[in-house]
């Protein structure tokens, strides 16, 4: 696709339910980032995939959060047993990888846990 | 010390003036630097990338990089109300190309 695509755009879920957020990066981009942004706050790093290397999971806030990237392309962020504090905008970005490359963001998924 | 630091603002600039946004970073070996603009309720949008010491100009925007002093700045000439947004500085780590972000500076252009 022409840009990074995220789905769904909005998700309302009940506390305790599991959710899956999808990111489809720009074709050919080997690096993929997930961030979380609460209202009025900065970007909170969650996880970083770079090619076939082991992902950097150091930003995942708890073991309820996991992410995978299948075939080096589409990524899914899964949140199990959602809590109200998980409510935020989840942003995905991708880049060509390597040092001198630019990252581009999707439009984000707004998650609301009620 | 945070890896990437920005003044949170808000920075208020009159319309038509030059807005100057600054960012400092701690990793001396970083090679890639980026400025993003984020409007309220939207995702960050890339404005400029800079990789070499000196200035890089693109329209009304100029990015300045000083690796010796470990800072990167963004100048916006002839500021417009539509430039009002949060500006995010990002630095790519040389070790694994992970992006490290500043907290952002909120810029307000007053008509």
């Amino acid at each position: 696709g022409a840009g990074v695509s995220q789905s769904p755009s909005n998700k309302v879920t009940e506390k305790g339910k599991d959710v899956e957020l999808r990111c489809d990066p720009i074709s050919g981009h080997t690096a993929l980032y997930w961030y979380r942004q609460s209202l009025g706050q900065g970007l909170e790093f969650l996880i970083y995939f770079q090619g076939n290397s082991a992902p950097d999971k150091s930003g995942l806030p708890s073991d309820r959060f996991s992410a995978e990237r299948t075939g080096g392309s589409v990524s899914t962020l899964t949140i199990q047993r959602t809590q109200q504090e998980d409510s935020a905008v989840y942003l995905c970005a991708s880049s060509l990888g390597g040092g001198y490359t630019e990252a581009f963001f999707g439009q984000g998924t707004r998650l609301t846990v009620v | 010390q945070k890896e990437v630091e920005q003044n949170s603002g808000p920075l208020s600039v009159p319309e038509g003036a030059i807005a100057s946004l600054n960012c400092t970073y701690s990793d001396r070996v970083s090679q890639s630097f980026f400025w993003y603009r984020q409007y309220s309720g939207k995702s960050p949008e890339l404005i400029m990338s800079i990789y070499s010491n000196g200035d890089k100009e693109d329209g009304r925007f100029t990015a300045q990089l000083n690796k010796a002093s470990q800072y990167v700045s963004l100048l916006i000439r002839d500021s417009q109300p539509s430039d009002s947004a949060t500006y995010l500085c990002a630095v790519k780590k040389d070790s694994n190309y992970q992006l490290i972000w500043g907290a952002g500076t909120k810029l307000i252009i007053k008509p």
Side-chain angles (χ1 to χ4, degrees):
Chain A
V4 179
S5 179
Q6 291 187 246
S7 60
S9 298
N10 283 283
K11 176 73 176 177
V12 179
T13 190
E14 291 181 352
K15 178 181 173 181
K17 300 283 189 183
D18 297 353
V19 295
E20 285 190 351
L21 311 180
R22 176 187 168 106
C23 174
D24 198 343
I26 294 172
S27 178
H29 279 195
T30 59
L32 188 147
Y33 308 80
W34 281 101
Y35 298 95
R36 178 169 71 175
Q37 190 171 38
S38 300
L39 190 64
Q41 302 299 309
L43 294 174
E44 177 187 2
F45 166 71
L46 296 178
I47 189 168
Y48 165 53
F49 296 91
Q50 171 54 62
N52 295 322
S53 301
D56 179 353
K57 302 180 181 181
S58 61
L60 295 177
S62 76
D63 58 8
R64 296 187 296 105
F65 288 73
S66 62
E68 62 177 20
R69 189 176 184 193
T70 52
S73 182
V74 172
S75 177
T76 302
L77 177 69
T78 301
I79 309 173
Q80 296 178 311
R81 304 181 302 281
T82 52
Q83 304 295 312
Q84 287 186 328
E85 61 262 28
D86 299 334
S87 296
V89 175
Y90 289 80
L91 291 164
C92 174
S94 73
S95 76
L96 276 170
Y100 303 101
T101 58
E102 300 161 337
F104 300 92
F105 282 83
Q107 81 281 13
T109 294
R110 181 176 298 279
L111 175 66
T112 304
V113 181
V114 298
Chain B
Q1 181 190 7
K2 292 182 180 178
E3 292 186 82
V4 178
E5 297 211 53
Q6 296 181 255
N7 189 318
S8 62
L11 174 65
S12 184
V13 174
E15 184 176 357
I18 296 175
S20 178
L21 303 159
N22 298 311
C23 171
T24 58
Y25 60 94
S26 61
D27 186 353
R28 188 171 291 277
V29 299
S30 294
Q31 300 290 331
S32 308
F33 308 87
F34 308 91
W35 282 100
Y36 287 76
R37 176 177 62 198
Q38 186 174 26
Y39 291 117
S40 181
K42 301 293 186 182
S43 56
E45 168 193 15
L46 179 69
I47 299 176
M48 297 278 286
S49 57
I50 187 166
Y51 309 121
S52 304
N53 272 330
D55 295 0
K56 179 181 178 182
E57 188 175 316
D58 184 359
R60 296 187 296 111
F61 298 96
T62 299
Q64 298 176 318
L65 175 61
N66 184 322
K67 291 184 180 179
S69 299
Q70 294 175 240
Y71 82 77
V72 56
S73 61
L74 180 70
L75 302 178
I76 307 174
R77 289 183 300 282
D78 188 24
S79 297
Q80 303 296 311
S82 58
D83 294 327
S84 298
T86 296
Y87 288 79
L88 299 164
C89 172
V91 177
K92 191 168 276 193
K93 290 174 72 103
D94 206 51
S95 57
N96 64 354
Y97 310 130
Q98 165 72 290
L99 276 170
I100 308 301
W101 295 84
T105 298
K106 184 173 183 178
L107 176 66
I108 299 171
I109 306 299
K110 293 192 169 181

